[in-house]
mmCIF file with all atom_site columns, all heavy atoms in Angstrom:
data_model
loop_
_atom_site.group_PDB
_atom_site.id
_atom_site.type_symbol
_atom_site.label_atom_id
_atom_site.label_alt_id
_atom_site.label_comp_id
_atom_site.label_asym_id
_atom_site.label_entity_id
_atom_site.label_seq_id
_atom_site.pdbx_PDB_ins_code
_atom_site.Cartn_x
_atom_site.Cartn_y
_atom_site.Cartn_z
_atom_site.occupancy
_atom_site.B_iso_or_equiv
_atom_site.pdbx_formal_charge
_atom_site.auth_seq_id
_atom_site.auth_comp_id
_atom_site.auth_asym_id
_atom_site.auth_atom_id
_atom_site.pdbx_PDB_model_num
ATOM 1  N N   . ILE A 1 170 ? -55.129 -25.150 7.329  1.00 98.00 ? 170 ILE A N   1
ATOM 2  C CA  . ILE A 1 170 ? -54.081 -24.494 8.128  1.00 98.00 ? 170 ILE A CA  1
ATOM 3  C C   . ILE A 1 170 ? -54.631 -23.128 8.552  1.00 98.00 ? 170 ILE A C   1
ATOM 4  O O   . ILE A 1 170 ? -54.970 -22.284 7.713  1.00 98.00 ? 170 ILE A O   1
ATOM 5  C CB  . ILE A 1 170 ? -52.783 -24.234 7.328  1.00 98.00 ? 170 ILE A CB  1
ATOM 6  C CG1 . ILE A 1 170 ? -52.368 -25.564 6.592  1.00 98.00 ? 170 ILE A CG1 1
ATOM 7  C CG2 . ILE A 1 170 ? -51.682 -23.693 8.186  1.00 98.00 ? 170 ILE A CG2 1
ATOM 8  C CD1 . ILE A 1 170 ? -51.971 -26.710 7.522  1.00 98.00 ? 170 ILE A CD1 1
ATOM 9  N N   . ILE A 1 171 ? -54.814 -22.848 9.846  1.00 98.00 ? 171 ILE A N   1
ATOM 10 C CA  . ILE A 1 171 ? -55.261 -21.544 10.277 1.00 98.00 ? 171 ILE A CA  1
ATOM 11 C C   . ILE A 1 171 ? -54.056 -20.639 10.372 1.00 98.00 ? 171 ILE A C   1
ATOM 12 O O   . ILE A 1 171 ? -53.258 -20.710 11.303 1.00 98.00 ? 171 ILE A O   1
ATOM 13 C CB  . ILE A 1 171 ? -55.968 -21.709 11.682 1.00 98.00 ? 171 ILE A CB  1
ATOM 14 C CG1 . ILE A 1 171 ? -57.127 -22.737 11.572 1.00 98.00 ? 171 ILE A CG1 1
ATOM 15 C CG2 . ILE A 1 171 ? -56.534 -20.394 12.056 1.00 98.00 ? 171 ILE A CG2 1
ATOM 16 C CD1 . ILE A 1 171 ? -57.928 -22.919 12.810 1.00 98.00 ? 171 ILE A CD1 1
ATOM 17 N N   . THR A 1 172 ? -53.912 -19.853 9.396  1.00 97.00 ? 172 THR A N   1
ATOM 18 C CA  . THR A 1 172 ? -52.677 -19.106 9.150  1.00 97.00 ? 172 THR A CA  1
ATOM 19 C C   . THR A 1 172 ? -52.279 -18.100 10.267 1.00 97.00 ? 172 THR A C   1
ATOM 20 O O   . THR A 1 172 ? -51.094 -18.023 10.591 1.00 97.00 ? 172 THR A O   1
ATOM 21 C CB  . THR A 1 172 ? -52.678 -18.370 7.796  1.00 97.00 ? 172 THR A CB  1
ATOM 22 O OG1 . THR A 1 172 ? -53.822 -17.431 7.781  1.00 97.00 ? 172 THR A OG1 1
ATOM 23 C CG2 . THR A 1 172 ? -52.851 -19.354 6.671  1.00 97.00 ? 172 THR A CG2 1
ATOM 24 N N   . ASP A 1 173 ? -53.251 -17.493 10.871 1.00 97.00 ? 173 ASP A N   1
ATOM 25 C CA  . ASP A 1 173 ? -52.902 -16.531 11.895 1.00 97.00 ? 173 ASP A CA  1
ATOM 26 C C   . ASP A 1 173 ? -52.776 -17.206 13.242 1.00 97.00 ? 173 ASP A C   1
ATOM 27 O O   . ASP A 1 173 ? -52.550 -16.576 14.322 1.00 97.00 ? 173 ASP A O   1
ATOM 28 C CB  . ASP A 1 173 ? -53.920 -15.389 12.024 1.00 97.00 ? 173 ASP A CB  1
ATOM 29 C CG  . ASP A 1 173 ? -55.358 -15.882 12.215 1.00 97.00 ? 173 ASP A CG  1
ATOM 30 O OD1 . ASP A 1 173 ? -55.694 -16.959 11.732 1.00 97.00 ? 173 ASP A OD1 1
ATOM 31 O OD2 . ASP A 1 173 ? -56.156 -15.160 12.848 1.00 97.00 ? 173 ASP A OD2 1
ATOM 32 N N   . ALA A 1 174 ? -52.877 -18.535 13.317 1.00 98.00 ? 174 ALA A N   1
ATOM 33 C CA  . ALA A 1 174 ? -52.650 -19.356 14.482 1.00 98.00 ? 174 ALA A CA  1
ATOM 34 C C   . ALA A 1 174 ? -51.412 -20.208 14.380 1.00 98.00 ? 174 ALA A C   1
ATOM 35 O O   . ALA A 1 174 ? -51.288 -21.192 15.157 1.00 98.00 ? 174 ALA A O   1
ATOM 36 C CB  . ALA A 1 174 ? -53.904 -20.156 14.804 1.00 98.00 ? 174 ALA A CB  1
ATOM 37 N N   . CYS A 1 175 ? -50.555 -19.928 13.401 1.00 98.00 ? 175 CYS A N   1
ATOM 38 C CA  . CYS A 1 175 ? -49.299 -20.657 13.257 1.00 98.00 ? 175 CYS A CA  1
ATOM 39 C C   . CYS A 1 175 ? -48.166 -19.610 13.203 1.00 98.00 ? 175 CYS A C   1
ATOM 40 O O   . CYS A 1 175 ? -48.331 -18.522 12.701 1.00 98.00 ? 175 CYS A O   1
ATOM 41 C CB  . CYS A 1 175 ? -49.276 -21.488 11.942 1.00 98.00 ? 175 CYS A CB  1
ATOM 42 S SG  . CYS A 1 175 ? -50.545 -22.710 11.815 1.00 98.00 ? 175 CYS A SG  1
ATOM 43 N N   . ALA A 1 176 ? -46.963 -20.038 13.697 1.00 98.00 ? 176 ALA A N   1
ATOM 44 C CA  . ALA A 1 176 ? -45.802 -19.122 13.673 1.00 98.00 ? 176 ALA A CA  1
ATOM 45 C C   . ALA A 1 176 ? -44.537 -19.920 13.291 1.00 98.00 ? 176 ALA A C   1
ATOM 46 O O   . ALA A 1 176 ? -44.379 -21.019 13.742 1.00 98.00 ? 176 ALA A O   1
ATOM 47 C CB  . ALA A 1 176 ? -45.607 -18.479 15.007 1.00 98.00 ? 176 ALA A CB  1
ATOM 48 N N   . PRO A 1 177 ? -43.699 -19.288 12.441 1.00 97.00 ? 177 PRO A N   1
ATOM 49 C CA  . PRO A 1 177 ? -42.442 -19.929 12.068 1.00 97.00 ? 177 PRO A CA  1
ATOM 50 C C   . PRO A 1 177 ? -41.288 -19.454 12.967 1.00 97.00 ? 177 PRO A C   1
ATOM 51 O O   . PRO A 1 177 ? -41.405 -18.419 13.601 1.00 97.00 ? 177 PRO A O   1
ATOM 52 C CB  . PRO A 1 177 ? -42.276 -19.430 10.626 1.00 97.00 ? 177 PRO A CB  1
ATOM 53 C CG  . PRO A 1 177 ? -42.814 -17.983 10.711 1.00 97.00 ? 177 PRO A CG  1
ATOM 54 C CD  . PRO A 1 177 ? -43.948 -18.077 11.700 1.00 97.00 ? 177 PRO A CD  1
ATOM 55 N N   . VAL A 1 178 ? -40.184 -20.208 12.891 1.00 96.00 ? 178 VAL A N   1
ATOM 56 C CA  . VAL A 1 178 ? -38.977 -19.688 13.537 1.00 96.00 ? 178 VAL A CA  1
ATOM 57 C C   . VAL A 1 178 ? -38.367 -18.647 12.580 1.00 96.00 ? 178 VAL A C   1
ATOM 58 O O   . VAL A 1 178 ? -37.961 -17.583 13.014 1.00 96.00 ? 178 VAL A O   1
ATOM 59 C CB  . VAL A 1 178 ? -37.993 -20.862 13.780 1.00 96.00 ? 178 VAL A CB  1
ATOM 60 C CG1 . VAL A 1 178 ? -36.635 -20.313 14.160 1.00 96.00 ? 178 VAL A CG1 1
ATOM 61 C CG2 . VAL A 1 178 ? -38.493 -21.778 14.843 1.00 96.00 ? 178 VAL A CG2 1
ATOM 62 N N   . ASP A 1 179 ? -38.299 -18.978 11.316 1.00 95.00 ? 179 ASP A N   1
ATOM 63 C CA  . ASP A 1 179 ? -37.749 -18.043 10.314 1.00 95.00 ? 179 ASP A CA  1
ATOM 64 C C   . ASP A 1 179 ? -38.863 -17.345 9.545  1.00 95.00 ? 179 ASP A C   1
ATOM 65 O O   . ASP A 1 179 ? -39.619 -17.973 8.825  1.00 95.00 ? 179 ASP A O   1
ATOM 66 C CB  . ASP A 1 179 ? -36.886 -18.878 9.315  1.00 95.00 ? 179 ASP A CB  1
ATOM 67 C CG  . ASP A 1 179 ? -36.222 -18.012 8.311  1.00 95.00 ? 179 ASP A CG  1
ATOM 68 O OD1 . ASP A 1 179 ? -36.442 -16.733 8.250  1.00 95.00 ? 179 ASP A OD1 1
ATOM 69 O OD2 . ASP A 1 179 ? -35.468 -18.577 7.486  1.00 95.00 ? 179 ASP A OD2 1
ATOM 70 N N   . PRO A 1 180 ? -39.038 -16.032 9.769  1.00 95.00 ? 180 PRO A N   1
ATOM 71 C CA  . PRO A 1 180 ? -40.152 -15.342 9.066  1.00 95.00 ? 180 PRO A CA  1
ATOM 72 C C   . PRO A 1 180 ? -40.100 -15.513 7.549  1.00 95.00 ? 180 PRO A C   1
ATOM 73 O O   . PRO A 1 180 ? -41.145 -15.443 6.887  1.00 95.00 ? 180 PRO A O   1
ATOM 74 C CB  . PRO A 1 180 ? -39.885 -13.846 9.442  1.00 95.00 ? 180 PRO A CB  1
ATOM 75 C CG  . PRO A 1 180 ? -39.103 -13.905 10.699 1.00 95.00 ? 180 PRO A CG  1
ATOM 76 C CD  . PRO A 1 180 ? -38.261 -15.165 10.580 1.00 95.00 ? 180 PRO A CD  1
ATOM 77 N N   . ARG A 1 181 ? -38.866 -15.697 7.011  1.00 95.00 ? 181 ARG A N   1
ATOM 78 C CA  . ARG A 1 181 ? -38.783 -15.844 5.529  1.00 95.00 ? 181 ARG A CA  1
ATOM 79 C C   . ARG A 1 181 ? -39.391 -17.094 5.082  1.00 95.00 ? 181 ARG A C   1
ATOM 80 O O   . ARG A 1 181 ? -39.671 -17.290 3.879  1.00 95.00 ? 181 ARG A O   1
ATOM 81 C CB  . ARG A 1 181 ? -37.249 -15.799 5.191  1.00 95.00 ? 181 ARG A CB  1
ATOM 82 C CG  . ARG A 1 181 ? -36.556 -14.498 5.465  1.00 95.00 ? 181 ARG A CG  1
ATOM 83 C CD  . ARG A 1 181 ? -35.042 -14.604 5.304  1.00 95.00 ? 181 ARG A CD  1
ATOM 84 N NE  . ARG A 1 181 ? -34.524 -15.579 6.213  1.00 95.00 ? 181 ARG A NE  1
ATOM 85 C CZ  . ARG A 1 181 ? -33.230 -15.859 6.296  1.00 95.00 ? 181 ARG A CZ  1
ATOM 86 N NH1 . ARG A 1 181 ? -32.389 -15.269 5.526  1.00 95.00 ? 181 ARG A NH1 1
ATOM 87 N NH2 . ARG A 1 181 ? -32.793 -16.792 7.140  1.00 95.00 ? 181 ARG A NH2 1
ATOM 88 N N   . ALA A 1 182 ? -39.595 -18.064 5.967  1.00 95.00 ? 182 ALA A N   1
ATOM 89 C CA  . ALA A 1 182 ? -40.126 -19.386 5.566  1.00 95.00 ? 182 ALA A CA  1
ATOM 90 C C   . ALA A 1 182 ? -41.622 -19.447 5.577  1.00 95.00 ? 182 ALA A C   1
ATOM 91 O O   . ALA A 1 182 ? -42.243 -20.384 5.037  1.00 95.00 ? 182 ALA A O   1
ATOM 92 C CB  . ALA A 1 182 ? -39.573 -20.459 6.442  1.00 95.00 ? 182 ALA A CB  1
#
Side-chain angles (χ1 to χ4, degrees):
I170 310 297
I171 305 181
T172 57
D173 56 329
C175 298
V178 170
D179 183 357
R181 297 169 298 180

